[in-house]
Amino acid sequence: MTSGDTGLPAAPSGERGPAAIRIPETTATETGIPAMKITLDTDKCCAAGQCVLIAPEVFDQRDEDGIVVLLDAEPPAAQHGAVREAAAICPAAVIEVHA
């Protein structure tokens, strides 16, 4: 099965775009950008959820109380800007970024 007029294989069910077009994520060290590490002080979290809105690939919230959950303690370089913004906007200053 092919995708449209491109002649490329169709994407597996539930995915968008041709299956042959995949761009691998690069790590910070591959791009020369210093690695980022994130730590949280969940005891201070007030469950505002701003971090999740800004960087959903890195942060989530527990269902039972809304406390922040770290999905990726060392996010790829493409997420660094969003992580820094989330740390800056966090009303309880829960997110600590180490570069």
Side-chain angles (χ1 to χ4, degrees):
M1 183 163 69
T2 61
S3 176
D5 298 326
T6 66
L8 297 172
S13 176
E15 292 185 26
R16 300 178 114 167
I21 302 175
R22 294 247 162 57
I23 301 171
E25 284 195 31
T26 57
T27 63
T29 55
E30 290 171 348
T31 61
I33 299 170
M36 171 184 279
K37 294 188 183 196
I38 303 165
T39 56
L40 303 175
D41 185 351
T42 56
D43 291 338
K44 296 186 335 185
C45 184
C46 66
Q50 297 303 304
C51 56
V52 178
L53 294 173
I54 294 168
E57 299 84 8
V58 179
F59 304 103
D60 200 356
Q61 290 177 284
R62 295 190 307 217
D63 289 334
E64 61 272 11
D65 57 9
I67 299 299
V68 65
V69 174
L70 187 57
L71 301 176
D72 189 350
E74 296 183 21
Q79 297 298 319
H80 289 188
V83 169
R84 290 187 194 288
E85 183 180 351
I89 202 166
C90 178
V94 170
I95 303 165
E96 207 173 313
V97 177
H98 313 275

